[in-house]
Amino acid sequence: MSEEIEKVKCLIIGSGPAGYTAAIYAARANMTPVLYQGMQPGGQLTTTNDVENFPGYPDGVTGPEMMIQLQAQSERFGAAVRTGWISKVDFTGPIHKVWVEDKKEIHCETVIISTGAEAKYLGLPSEQKYLELGGGVSACAVCDGFFYRNQETVIVGAGDSACEEAHYLSNICSKVTMLVRRDEFRASKIMVERVKKTENIEILYNTNTLEVLGDGEGVTGAKVKNSVTGEEQVIQCTGFFVAIGHKPNTDIFKSWIDLDQTGYIIGKPGSSKTNVPGVFVSGDASDKEYRQAITAAGTGCMAALDAERYLAAQN
Ligand code: NDP
């Protein structure tokens, strides 16, 4: 017998700062929100060590701790926080249909998309091989750096994430080699200075990865090429970290919601509205510009307020 269809006023998809903030506001407005946490409960912040720039934490807070607090705060007001992910949606009619892991069907009056973004990889077969093997390729220094204690690592990227992660690794690993594909960083000056001042970080500019080398079980090095001189070299390492940006988690919405060329949801300027009435967006799924916990939380608040006003106008 098929499961009964559940009806909810406000469904929130995703559990980063955007989703939980939307849940806090929606719960306090008596919208009895249901939040599905998705594949990575707590979102990207669970892989961030110290958060020092979120107002209200003068001594900083770890990403996982902040997410535990946000979840508790939303549950305090009655938000139903559930494990599981949304695998399919149908936004054709005024009632928005969603499916949890292709099984349970839910009919929602409003939906708040807070699905965030995920790490990008280089796409080299050798990188994917060792990523799948769990043998030395990672996109999260905070999660996996510990495994390379007192060992040599490589990190690819030149943005703020790469700088932050290189600095984090430098406190654990004996040496960190940073591969920057151009002759300059993209990261902010303060982050670049911090990296440059760190003794055990070596920066190789104009350098691209040709292959991640390994012994069949784990990474042993990286074969790289200087794009100016054409010179190739092998860098010894047991950990190969990739910090080259993120991809928004919006694939399941593409038949219904307007996305830009890179997959970010196009919101109506100055609001959280999408092209589908009753479906709202918050956080990194529509933000490639700011991508901060505080901006995600702010847009989560906007989405809950917009959803509340939408429901009020319907009734
Ligand atoms: P970014 O998009 O800012 O940077 C990605 C970096 O990866 C760029 O330097 C890019 O090189 C490089 N890159 C992309 N593809 C490749 C490739 N195939 N091979 C080699 N290198 C590649 O992403 P981030 O994740 O660093 O940052 C995202 C946003 O989050 C930014 O706005 C950033 O400011 C913010 N942030 C802020 C932090 C903080 O304030 N504490 C911490 C972390 C992130 P190129 O420059 O040549 O394009």
Side-chain angles (χ1 to χ4, degrees), residues 4 8 10 26 67 85 91 104 115 136 139-140 216 230 233 250 252 279 283 285 311:
E4 202 178 316
V8 305
C10 177
M67 301 323 298
W85 64 91
F91 292 159
K104 181 181 168 67
T115 45
C140 177
Q233 63 169 308
T250 54
I252 58 165
V279 178
L311 285 174

Side-chain angles (χ1 to χ4, degrees), residues 129-130 133 135 212-221 237-238:
K129 174 180 165 184
Y130 287 102
L133 277 175
V212 177
L213 305 171
D215 59 9
E217 289 183 2
V219 170
T220 56
C237 66
T238 48

Side-chain angles (χ1 to χ4, degrees), residues 44-96:
Q44 291 177 83
L45 267 189
T46 52
T47 60
T48 297
N49 201 23
D50 290 323
V51 181
E52 295 180 331
N53 51 10
F54 200 97
Y57 294 95
D59 300 321
V61 61
T62 68
E65 177 61 21
M66 186 197 250
M67 301 323 298
I68 289 167
Q69 290 180 0
L70 282 174
Q71 179 175 345
Q73 192 174 352
S74 70
E75 287 175 329
R76 179 182 156 208
F77 300 112
V81 177
R82 299 180 185 168
T83 54
W85 64 91
I86 304 304
S87 52
K88 196 169 76 169
V89 300
D90 177 345
F91 292 159
T92 353
I95 287 296
H96 312 300

Side-chain angles (χ1 to χ4, degrees), residues 53 121-122 156-162 164 179 181-182 184-187 191 207-208 243-246 288-292:
N53 51 10
Y121 288 90
L122 297 175
V156 184
D160 283 327
S161 298
E164 195 174 67
L179 307 182
R181 71 175 171 182
R182 290 183 295 139
E184 62 176 355
F185 278 85
R186 178 180 295 272
M191 304 288 260
T207 301
N208 293 302
I244 60 168
H246 292 81
K288 58 181 166 193
E289 182 71 31
Y290 302 105
R291 296 187 275 207
Q292 299 299 300

Side-chain angles (χ1 to χ4, degrees), residues 102-122:
D102 284 338
K103 293 186 198 107
K104 181 181 168 67
E105 185 174 343
I106 305 181
H107 288 185
C108 321
E109 289 178 57
T110 62
V111 174
I112 296 177
I113 300 170
S114 315
T115 45
E118 67 188 43
K120 282 186 191 164
Y121 288 90
L122 297 175

Side-chain angles (χ1 to χ4, degrees), residues 131 166 276:
L131 176 66
V276 177

